[in-house]
Amino acid sequence: MSTSGIDLGYLRKYGYEKYRCVKCEGVMWSTRPRETCPDRPCSKYEFLYKDYKNLRPLSLREVRSRFIDFLVKRGHGVVDPYPVLAKWRDDLYLTIASIIVFQPHVTDGLVDPPYNPLVIVQPSIRLTDIDNVGLTFGRHMTSFEMGGMHAFNKPGKFVYWVEGVLDNTIDLFTKEIGLSLDDIVFKESWWEGGGNAGPAPEVLVDGLEVATLVFMKYKDAGGRWVENPVLVVDCGYGIERITWLSQRTPTGFHAVYGSLVGKFKDLLGVEEPPSDVLKKIVYETSDKEISSVSELLDLATKLGFGEYAKDLERSVYTYSILDHTRTLALMLADGIVPSNTGEGYLARLVARRLVRNVLLAGVELSRVRDVVLELINAQINYWIGDYVFGKLASRRDYILEVAQAEVGKFVDMLVESESLVRKIVSRKKQLSLEDLISIYDSYGVPPEIVVEKARSLGINVQLPPDFYSVVAARHSAPPRLAKQVEKQEEFEWVSNLWETVPEFHVDPYKKSTEARVLGVKGRLVVFDRTVIYPRSGGQDYDTGIVRSGKEVYRVVEAYKFGNVIVHVLDREPSLRPGDAVVVEVDWGRRYRLMRHHTATHLVLAAARKVLGEHVWQAGAEKTVEKARLDVTHYKPLTKEDVDAIEKEANRIVDLRIDLNVNTLSRFDAEKKYGIRLYQGGSVYSSNVRVVEIPGFDAQACYGTHVKNTAEVGGIKIINVDRIQEGVVRLEFVSATRIPEVMRDFVEEEQKALSILGGDNIVAAAERTVSELKEKTSLLGRYRSFLKEILLERNVVRTSCGFEYYFVPIPIEDEALRKEVVEEAALKRRAMVVVLMGDLLEVAVDPNKARESGLDLTKVVKELGQYGKGGGKPDHVIIKLFKPTDPGLINHVIERAICSSK
């Protein structure tokens, strides 16, 4: 599809006519006849050498400010940039475009935008082209500024459509940037993304696409496109590309990063080709599809630039490093914690590819950590005071600390990867893309290292040039959860019922209410209003009773479908729609849940203050017995961390702060509190219920809370666990649960004392540890004594004159077995055979094995009918199928040894 659904004929007002490219056959609009469209691969980067009459060099900041100011003058309201961590979405991890801020709630017509029309310059991250960064000299960047021009046309509210978009675009480029109409070409195209689609003319200038004008007319309805309720203008202008166009520097990186290019070259020890040569290389290769650095170097050599190949190679890596350091700093500044899942996986991918490219640029492994930190620090300094990236400076300490930890882990892995990769690849005859991805995901080993080692072992493997792009695409969004089919029938039933008024929101202290029955299905009942809270947002459900005349039913569970609350009764009721009832909540259970829920907000606020602004809720549960909170953090918590969190949470309790609970429009809430509102996940609603602890925390929250922090009564953290890399779990109790838990602790202590003896748990533990150390030491001496006896009494001499130890160990003692092997093979440089139960281990000093021509894998083959095993020429382990005669084993070993001599 191209621009079906819109008419670009309005361009004729400006002297444009329609033409077809003879190469790609695409439809374009131009003020002069053209055979080819000014888009790669049909054209080169002609802008690099073109002399534009009114176009002067503009900095990134100048392009950005001109873009915003131009649209403000035309009635657009300014929306400040959102974070790149898209916590308001449940289908994406990262903000990949400016429309993501408004999709789907505004584009679906559920919520009005903060302004209409509006302008936003949104930092965006796309990793699906990460392998092309540097190779295309600035056309691809993982982090970039999208200048968003948006309008939302609804019934009764028409803003502008095709004519307004074209007028604004032409005036922006001619009056603000300095181009002429002859420079600008519109090429028909189509766009899809985020559940929407529409015609999307591309704005081209002499080989460079500088904007895409999406007319979002359609939405996805189960695999087919239907008319969207809102006609959305989604125009994205490439701020970095326009900057490059205006400056006509050899690469886009020189235009965007300016003096930082030289700084990075110095830190990396890199020399670029001369500026005129580099510009010529970029121009001559700009219409080619280049998938790897080696392919680029081959092409440059064919074009006559072979003498600059080495400098060109390291320059490409330098441009990628410029990009990756900013992207990583931006991700960390917005609170991403590197890990092996979710958005943390994507941050780790960028960090590891950054390290890889620093190494490829020529930095020694021993210097990588220091160099990467210097590079990131220089990146942060470069953007100080910037409208979009200035926030990096305020998060400098966290960015550098986490980057240091990530680089350290990766470097350590690289050092240890030799043996790991050998072990993995030696089991396979060939490696597929899935194997490479699995190894990267599981161990973090870059595919280049795996491929190199595999090929040295004669294993067939091909490394796709877009490996990192493929991996990034697979991890770009959360997995879609399968719909629950077991409650489909219930869902269909409640969809025909009116919504339930949640009186627990109006007054969480209200203990009962009069209600009317809306629907009954078995033990399930829906009322027009209720004081019973359904399971939601990690908070457990309320229980209670329903009174109907003389009948009393227990509410044993409650859950909700949308805004309909379903009550599960202890038995089928004799109720009919319209019946009047009284619903009462179990207040003791409710009050404990309220206290634990408010305590959870307090602990999160305390964790954020103690650990840093990167802390996000990764999960939560509030029950009657306890609460748990999972938070993102890049290292395990120390005792001091936990004590500080608990102390800060209790300090807020003692401040006796009144909670504020208000319902705000979505954008008003986000403007006031930021996207930290969405600790519990995205909210698909026009309004947001905000629970605020003034000065400490504000969250979009459905749950029930106490009125004042003092009612929490106190908080005690009872358990801390690192449940996965990058996520720490805190379990805690509040108020009257604290003495109950402490009573349990005391009982456990008494049980321990009854076992250990004494009347003081610490003294008993110290005594037990001391006795254990003594006995362990004594056991070690006995084991050493026994080892010497076993070796001295079990020397075997073969018929070919070779001596070795044959040591049967009659008891299951792993430590003794290891000591015997180490003593004989490594210290005495002899061969040893150890038989312990059904385990047979044969080892020899590696040097002796080479000197004697021994290959112990022959023993594995000879004993194949008696057991299964494997190993190396100097060390094998065999699991015997059943008890085997030691004489037989000696005979097989003698045959293997003597045949090698």
Side-chain angles (χ1 to χ4, degrees), residues 77 96 101 106 111 116 182 283 294 303 324 354 380 408 479 509 527 563 590 621 650 669 672 694 704 771 796 803 880:
I96 59 174
V101 175
V106 178
V111 181
N116 198 9
D182 283 351
Y283 173 77
S294 60
L303 293 170
H324 289 11
L354 166 62
I380 294 171
Y509 292 82
F527 305 112
N563 292 321
R590 155 70 68 77
E621 184 180 44
N650 281 303
K672 184 174 182 178
T704 56
E771 293 173 355
V796 176
E803 288 188 349
L880 300 172

Side-chain angles (χ1 to χ4, degrees), residues 276-449:
D276 59 330
V277 173
L278 178 60
K279 192 170 188 175
K280 191 68 174 175
I281 293 172
V282 174
Y283 173 77
E284 292 294 346
T285 60
S286 59
D287 61 344
K288 306 294 191 297
E289 289 294 338
I290 299 172
S291 60
S292 67
V293 173
S294 60
E295 191 176 328
L296 172 66
L297 299 182
D298 289 343
L299 181 57
T301 300
K302 290 177 182 177
L303 293 170
F305 302 108
E307 63 183 293
Y308 303 104
K310 190 61 181 177
D311 288 344
L312 179 62
E313 178 183 13
R314 297 181 67 192
S315 295
V316 168
Y317 292 128
T318 301
Y319 306 146
S320 175
I321 292 164
L322 274 161
D323 171 271
H324 289 11
T325 48
R326 186 176 76 169
T327 299
L328 179 61
L330 186 58
M331 296 172 92
L332 298 180
D334 279 345
I336 295 180
V337 175
S339 67
N340 289 327
T341 58
E343 63 271 9
Y345 179 96
L346 299 176
R348 176 160 287 171
L349 182 146
V350 174
R352 289 178 171 175
R353 197 170 189 277
L354 166 62
V355 173
R356 161 195 179 269
N357 288 351
V358 168
L359 289 168
L360 291 172
V363 176
E364 300 87 355
L365 186 62
S366 61
R367 294 182 56 239
V368 164
R369 303 181 204 216
D370 293 338
V371 171
V372 168
L373 292 182
E374 285 190 76
L375 294 168
I376 294 175
N377 199 46
Q379 186 78 250
I380 294 171
N381 288 337
Y382 183 75
W383 298 104
I384 288 176
D386 186 76
Y387 172 64
V388 173
F389 299 105
K391 61 185 174 183
L392 302 183
S394 65
R395 303 289 290 123
R396 185 191 303 268
D397 291 346
Y398 170 71
I399 292 170
L400 293 177
E401 184 176 357
V402 174
Q404 182 177 30
E406 277 300 297
V407 173
K409 290 176 186 175
F410 191 51
V411 169
D412 291 344
M413 186 280 302
L414 291 176
V415 172
E416 299 169 0
S417 63
E418 173 79 17
S419 59
L420 174 63
V421 172
R422 176 183 287 275
K423 182 178 179 181
I424 294 171
V425 302
S426 61
R427 306 175 192 148
K428 296 178 174 286
K429 294 183 179 179
Q430 63 180 25
L431 292 174
S432 64
L433 172 61
E434 293 305 318
D435 292 323
L436 293 175
I437 293 176
S438 177
I439 293 170
Y440 178 80
D441 283 350
S442 301
Y443 306 103
V445 182
E448 297 86 353
I449 292 177

